[in-house]
Amino acid sequence: MGIIMVILGLLLIIVCICSALLRWNQMRYSKKGLPPGTMGWPVFGETTEFLKQGPDFMKNQRLRYGSFFKSHILGCPTIVSMDAELNRYILMNESKGLVAGYPQSMLDILGTCNIAAVHGPNHRLMRGSLLSLISPAMMNDHLLPKIDDFMRSYLCGWDELETVDIQEKTKHMAFLSSLLQIAETLTKPEIEEYRTEFFKLVVGTLSVPIDLPGTNYRSGIQARNNIDRLLTKLMQERRESGETFTDMLGYLIKKEDNRYLLSDKEIRDQVVTILYSGYETVSTTAMMALKYLHDHPKALEELRREHLAIRDRKRPDEPLNLDDIKSMKFTRAVIFETSRLATVVNGVLRKTTHDLELNGYSIPKGWRIYVYTREINYDTSLYEDPMIFNPWRWLEKNLESKSFFLLFGGGARHCPGKELGISEASSFIHYFVTKYKWEEKGGEKLMVFPRVSAPKGYHLRVLPY
């Protein structure tokens, strides 16, 4: 009996302490003028609930507090905005104190010079450098031939396998395609070394920034250090060789006729940014496009007709060029509809550089603003039957030109690699649908937050078309 009383007493003390901590943390952020909302636990905030419940957490908060509320997620106090017009205003007004503000874990791992971390002149330098690497001329003359050659080779022999896990295949496809555009001379052991470290880095970017052994954050930091070591060695070898290289790294380290000279640290951050930014969007879009096309035969028939027409006017060994990519109107619509319905990107983050007023509330300096675009993708006032996969909507209503089109961000932070990513996904889809037909073999259950994924894989039986 005495032991039971002690246990009950301890439980009561724990409950009181927890309640006091929650109340104290809420009081810390009860400054007059702030939007309504809850802040959760000290340090951790509501990150656990946010990552576990995802869209449901956001919907519940919206029901309680409206489309503009405060929280504490991913290590910092945050304002969540779910209003389409207000989101566009936030994205279009970086000069008014709303700069990029990604989570600390992401900044620490991707680097302080990555394009998402800098603003002002440094942002113009990094963005200019990146755009010079993926200009239309570079795309047509250098990048697309590499992408085409890689996709042809990568997709060979899938019909000889019993099953194909498309989730794993598209992940490796997106990573390898980007890596070979960056440094086409890497050997297989070197590629494997980059791959191992890169996947650890990706996991670490969405973690609580607590540097303890065994945490995803510590693993991500270590992976980034290892990638820096590999890149430093490669850059040194190339400079010592005196050879000319026509891949992205070759142009980044070249000093002649280079308008955007970067330091070695900036080059390493730029390379990691290119790898990271395209990896998840391209791989997830490619996987989910195949899923939606499988479930909607009419869309698959229309898309395949478009790609077979391209093959009919080309020699069997003739690669895709920029004109071919531009002619893929329905494929582009499928990619947009996939990105919208699967919500490959849930939103973007901004940070206030000074105290400011927004939507009638006072937002303190240093707070993050999460422009949460997920719910906009399913807004019935913007998209008719939003839960239905309908790529034709993009052709009929020119939705890409609408103010609520934020699938690739907006304003000065509009994704500079948008067209490159679309080209990679389009090339993958092109060779897949012209070579193969497929049927699902199990593991199709999907998780939609914080990343779109198939926990048990997305397995297909691939057959010759």
Side-chain angles (χ1 to χ4, degrees):
M1 186 67 180
I3 295 175
I4 294 174
M5 293 300 293
V6 170
I7 293 173
L8 289 174
L10 288 173
L11 288 174
L12 181 61
I13 291 171
I14 291 170
V15 169
C16 290
I17 291 173
C18 290
S19 178
L21 284 172
L22 287 169
R23 197 179 308 113
W24 172 76
N25 202 44
Q26 190 69 20
M27 290 295 293
R28 287 176 63 203
Y29 298 107
S30 60
K31 180 180 175 182
K32 188 177 180 181
L34 280 172
T38 52
M39 304 303 288
W41 300 94
V43 181
F44 297 100
E46 298 179 305
T47 300
T48 302
E49 295 90 332
F50 169 66
L51 294 178
K52 282 186 176 180
Q53 300 172 27
D56 289 337
F57 171 81
M58 291 297 195
K59 288 177 184 176
N60 291 337
Q61 296 299 86
R62 185 181 196 175
L63 286 172
R64 294 175 65 186
Y65 304 114
S67 297
F68 196 74
F69 57 87
K70 67 184 177 186
S71 183
H72 194 293
I73 52 178
L74 298 176
C76 52
T78 302
I79 302 297
V80 178
S81 174
M82 301 170 71
D83 179 271
E85 286 303 315
L86 184 57
N87 284 350
R88 181 168 178 79
Y89 173 84
I90 293 168
L91 294 177
M92 299 295 289
N93 283 280
E94 183 166 333
S95 62
K96 295 183 179 179
L98 295 162
V99 301
Y102 290 90
Q104 194 60 46
S105 55
M106 193 173 287
L107 296 178
D108 292 342
I109 293 171
L110 297 185
T112 55
C113 296
N114 87 80
I115 195 170
V118 295
H119 46 89
N122 289 337
H123 178 254
R124 288 192 289 274
L125 172 67
M126 298 301 286
R127 187 178 178 87
S129 169
L130 182 54
L131 288 172
S132 71
L133 297 176
I134 55 177
S135 65
M138 282 288 290
M139 286 274 291
N140 197 56
D141 298 340
H142 297 286
L143 299 182
L144 277 177
K146 291 183 176 72
I147 292 170
D148 187 273
D149 183 63
F150 168 75
M151 293 299 176
R152 285 173 181 258
S153 172
Y154 188 71
L155 282 159
C156 275
W158 286 18
D159 55 328
E160 298 170 7
L161 302 172
E162 185 174 344
T163 60
V164 174
D165 184 351
I166 288 295
Q167 179 169 249
E168 286 304 306
K169 286 290 190 180
T170 53
K171 281 182 178 180
H172 288 115
M173 173 273 292
F175 170 72
L176 291 172
S177 178
S178 292
L179 184 63
L180 293 175
Q181 290 169 56
I182 291 165
E184 60 187 349
T185 58
L186 293 174
T187 63
K188 284 187 177 180
E190 289 171 331
I191 290 171
E192 183 60 25
E193 199 169 359
Y194 276 98
R195 187 187 70 83
T196 301
E197 299 302 332
F198 178 75
F199 288 162
K200 294 177 188 174
L201 178 150
V202 169
V203 174
T205 56
L206 268 186
S207 62
V208 178
I210 297 178
D211 192 10
L212 293 174
T215 61
N216 288 334
Y217 177 78
R218 169 71 68 87
S219 179
I221 291 289
Q222 291 172 340
R224 174 58 204 264
N225 291 337
N226 289 334
I227 289 175
D228 280 352
R229 173 180 53 80
L230 294 170
L231 286 173
T232 299
K233 178 185 175 186
L234 178 60
M235 290 160 64
Q236 183 178 348
E237 290 172 349
R238 287 194 167 193
R239 283 167 175 153
E240 290 174 353
S241 73
E243 294 181 48
T244 300
F245 298 90
T246 59
D247 51 30
M248 287 184 176
L249 185 60
Y251 284 98
L252 284 170
I253 64 177
K254 185 177 73 170
K255 293 187 176 179
E256 302 81 15
D257 302 320
N258 189 344
R259 291 177 56 197
Y260 303 98
L261 288 173
L262 306 181
S263 68
D264 281 7
K265 174 174 171 44
E266 287 170 333
I267 291 174
R268 291 194 301 269
D269 283 1
Q270 190 79 297
V271 166
V272 170
T273 297
I274 293 168
L275 282 173
Y276 183 84
S277 57
Y279 163 72
E280 190 157 3
T281 51
V282 172
S283 64
T284 305
T285 301
M287 177 184 78
M288 292 305 298
L290 296 187
K291 170 64 177 170
Y292 291 139
L293 290 168
H294 171 272
D295 294 345
H296 298 83
K298 287 186 178 179
L300 175 58
E301 182 182 355
E302 178 81 10
L303 180 132
R304 183 173 270 141
R305 187 184 301 119
E306 180 173 82
H307 288 278
L308 290 175
I310 292 172
R311 289 263 53 96
D312 286 345
R313 65 175 182 257
K314 301 178 80 69
R315 299 187 308 274
D317 61 343
E318 188 177 354
L320 296 171
N321 57 39
L322 197 55
D323 287 337
D324 295 322
I325 298 295
K326 289 178 179 178
S327 73
M328 298 177 186
K329 305 294 186 185
F330 191 72
T331 304
R332 190 179 184 89
V334 166
I335 289 171
F336 287 165
E337 183 70 349
T338 298
S339 299
R340 181 196 68 81
L341 191 55
T343 307
V344 176
V345 177
N346 289 284
V348 294
L349 281 160
R350 292 291 180 263
K351 182 176 71 172
T352 56
T353 59
H354 54 78
D355 293 351
L356 54 81
E357 185 174 307
L358 194 61
N359 202 36
Y361 295 101
S362 299
I363 314 300
K365 175 184 176 181
W367 278 46
R368 274 18 178 224
I369 298 178
Y370 189 19
V371 177
Y372 188 68
T373 56
R374 183 184 189 90
E375 296 306 315
I376 294 173
N377 293 339
Y378 312 130
D379 191 327
T380 55
S381 68
L382 304 177
Y383 299 100
E384 184 179 350
D385 296 322
M387 303 311 294
I388 294 176
F389 180 76
N390 176 17
W392 288 275
R393 74 173 86 235
W394 297 90
L395 303 175
E396 296 165 357
K397 298 183 178 180
N398 192 24
L399 295 175
E400 189 178 355
S401 65
K402 303 298 183 183
S403 62
F404 55 81
F405 178 77
L406 299 173
L407 296 176
F408 298 89
R413 300 282 172 170
H414 187 270
C415 177
K418 170 187 170 184
E419 295 303 327
L420 176 60
I422 290 173
S423 297
E424 287 183 297
S426 299
S427 299
F428 172 82
I429 291 170
H430 174 81
Y431 286 110
F432 191 86
V433 302
T434 55
K435 286 171 66 73
Y436 301 124
K437 56 185 178 180
W438 67 97
E439 57 189 37
E440 293 182 344
K441 298 298 290 184
E444 295 83 27
K445 185 177 180 181
L446 299 174
M447 185 173 75
V448 298
F449 196 87
R451 291 182 163 104
V452 178
S453 67
K456 295 183 180 179
Y458 179 42
H459 299 91
L460 304 180
R461 176 73 177 99
V462 176
L463 304 166
Y465 175 68

